[in-house]
Amino acid sequence: MPISQRIVQICLFLVAAICMFGGALQMYLGEPDTIPRLDNVHRFMAGVYLSTGFINLWAALTIRKQGTLVYLLALGVLFAGIGRLVSISQVGLPQPSAVWLGYLIPELLLPFVIAFAHRASQSNPATASRA
């Protein structure tokens, strides 16, 4: 397996772990300090988050067969980071700020690492036929 493909695989495993842990935790915790409508939406989105983790896990396990799906998963991570930026611009940075910036920075950088490494692995003659 080319190193660029291994990089994509590791990134997808990382995203999968974050989504599955975070989604399961948020499904369990919900948003108890708010109105029922917001708790409902929160747990719904936790389910989407959790299921995205399973999709990332499957893509990582079958990385040699993956093409466009990898770019779409990277785009999802980027959109999550953009959503966090919008939230920060609208209601401010939660405390402790270092924790939330620690989430934000990888959400904005990791998609580019995934996309560039995946493109490099697709341009490799040994893996290009699987695009």
Side-chain angles (χ1 to χ4, degrees), residues 25-85:
L25 180 64
Q26 293 306 313
M27 183 79 75
Y28 173 75
L29 293 176
E31 190 60 45
D33 297 331
T34 190
I35 60 176
R37 181 179 65 85
L38 294 180
D39 180 73
N40 185 280
V41 171
H42 185 92
R43 289 177 199 259
F44 171 82
M45 293 309 300
V48 172
Y49 194 30
L50 177 61
S51 67
T52 302
F54 289 114
I55 297 167
N56 275 275
L57 178 62
W58 178 78
L61 291 171
T62 60
I63 191 64
R64 289 186 173 112
K65 300 177 185 177
Q66 298 307 323
T68 305
L69 177 61
V70 172
Y71 296 113
L72 293 172
L73 292 170
L75 186 63
V77 174
L78 181 63
F79 282 166
I82 291 170
R84 199 178 299 278
L85 276 177

Side-chain angles (χ1 to χ4, degrees), residues 81-94 101 104:
I82 291 170
R84 199 178 299 278
L85 276 177
V86 170
S87 174
I88 290 168
S89 73
Q90 296 294 313
V91 296
L93 184 61
L101 292 173
L104 175 64

